[in-house]
Structure formats: C-alpha cells, structure tokens
Amino acid sequence: MKKIILALFLIALNLQSCKEPKVTAAASKEKPITDLSIYNLPSKWTNQNGKNIELKSLKGNVLVMVMIYTSCKAACPRLVADMRAIEEKLDKDTKKNVKLILVSIDPVTDTPQKLKSFAMANKLNNDPWILLRSTEDNTREFAAVLAVNYKQISPMEFSHSNIISVFNPDGELIYQQEGLAVNNKKTVETINKEAKKI
C-alpha cells in the first residue's frame, strides 16, 4: 500500500513539473537574444533625462516605437496623437509591461534638453513614455531596421515615413502600423496580447 501511495505521489509530482512555466520579465531578460532582435544593435542612446542607455536595457518589455522630430509641425504631432490613442486603449493590468518610445530623426537639434521640454509640453515625461536620441549614424541604422525613410529637406524640416512599430519582449519586430490617424485596433490587440505574456 505504501508503495502505491508513493508511486501516485511521484506521478502527481511529475505531472506538476510538466506544466508550462509562466514567462516572467526576469526570465525574459535572461533569454538569449535572437538574430532578429534590435538588442543586437550596439548603439548607445540618450533619453529625455540625459541618461545614456543601450536598447537591450529595455529587454523584457513590449516596445511601441515611432520616429519623429520635435520641431515638426506637420506629421509628427499627428503621430504623437496616434501613440496617445494607442496608450488609452492598452489593458490597465499589463500596461506596466509596455514602453512607448519616440526616437528622434534630428539628433542635432533634439538635444536631451529639447526632448525634455517636448516631453513636458506634451505630458509625455512619465512612464511608459521614453524619448531617445543618438548619433546621426545610429539613427540612420535604426531607421533602416524599422523601414523608416527620412530626408532633410531644409535646415529645420524632414520628410519621413509615418510608421509605428511594435516589438515583442525579445526585441523582435512583430507588427507595424503605417499612415496617420489610421484604425489602431490590430496594433492595440498585438500589444495587449504580447504584454499579457510577460
């Protein structure tokens, strides 16, 4: 009888250990970086608070990114509004697993101080918002990864693609929303789905 009870106990224990473990943010940070991840990029970035970071420090979050420049008067305010509209629809329970990131295509003008002023003026200076700038080379490289085209057309003006990109916690591009004021239902669904996994 003792042997049967012991055998049943071992079977139950074995079945329990076969359950799929929940992927925590800490576990996601320990996972190896895949070839498709933006976390392979060695570039250094500076945020609106003047803090230097590497993209891989954001690993373990769902990233929603758009490339803008702060002196833009045409498309960029609309892109920021589109990002805000996405933020409003995020699940409250998992929003802590999402970072909304504005990346400057004009690093010469967009100093950390300028980014900070822009963040304050647009109420983007708290989590989950991050504003980033880097060198022109790093910016150009990153834009290529996002398939964002941009070109300086005057000292203070750029023409650029209007694309919002979603990355999973491993830094892999999983969805892009193109255009201004477009339907964001699929974008929001994608973000919420990924954020729930964390």
Side-chain angles (χ1 to χ4, degrees):
M1 186 69 179
K2 277 184 184 174
K3 281 184 180 174
I4 293 169
I5 291 168
L6 184 64
L8 288 171
F9 175 73
L10 288 172
I11 289 166
L13 195 68
N14 203 30
L15 286 173
Q16 195 135 15
S17 66
C18 289
K19 278 186 186 168
E20 192 72 28
K22 192 172 189 298
V23 178
T24 61
S28 176
K29 285 191 176 183
E30 288 161 22
K31 272 174 68 181
I33 294 170
T34 70
D35 291 343
L36 299 173
S37 176
I38 56 168
Y39 301 134
N40 289 307
L41 296 172
S43 49
K44 302 267 194 304
W45 298 77
T46 309
N47 68 14
Q48 73 269 31
N49 298 314
K51 184 182 174 189
N52 294 325
I53 68 163
E54 288 183 43
L55 292 174
K56 64 184 174 190
S57 69
L58 301 169
K59 192 171 183 234
N61 296 288
V62 177
L63 308 183
V64 187
M65 292 190 164
V66 67
M67 297 192 85
I68 64 152
Y69 64 107
T70 63
S71 52
C72 175
K73 299 287 183 272
C76 300
R78 186 65 254 173
L79 283 169
V80 171
D82 288 348
M83 289 281 279
R84 277 186 192 286
I86 289 168
E87 181 192 19
E88 284 167 15
K89 294 180 184 174
L90 295 180
D91 287 347
K92 292 191 171 38
D93 299 342
T94 53
K95 190 176 168 182
K96 64 182 183 298
N97 301 328
V98 179
K99 299 291 179 199
L100 300 168
I101 303 172
L102 308 180
V103 180
S104 174
I105 59 173
D106 184 14
V108 174
T109 305
D110 288 337
T111 60
Q113 295 82 2
K114 189 89 190 281
L115 292 179
K116 180 84 170 175
S117 299
F118 183 84
M120 300 289 274
N122 290 279
K123 298 184 171 59
L124 308 171
N125 208 35
N126 297 313
D127 239 11
W129 295 93
I130 301 172
L131 283 73
L132 294 177
R133 69 175 294 282
S134 189
T135 64
E136 291 194 46
D137 286 346
N138 288 342
T139 306
R140 190 65 68 183
E141 179 185 49
F142 194 60
V145 170
L146 299 185
V148 169
N149 295 311
Y150 67 93
K151 182 182 177 185
Q152 191 158 9
I153 53 175
S154 78
M156 293 299 287
E157 274 188 281
F158 291 78
S159 66
H160 57 88
S161 312
N162 302 311
I163 299 174
I164 293 174
S165 303
V166 181
F167 292 84
N168 69 17
D170 297 321
E172 298 159 342
L173 183 63
I174 55 169
Y175 187 74
Q176 288 190 305
Q177 172 182 305
E178 193 163 355
L180 298 171
V182 298
N183 187 322
N184 62 19
K185 186 170 184 253
K186 178 79 172 131
T187 309
V188 172
E189 281 174 2
T190 304
I191 298 164
N192 282 332
K193 185 180 166 190
E194 283 298 317
K196 277 192 179 80
K197 294 178 187 174
I198 300 172

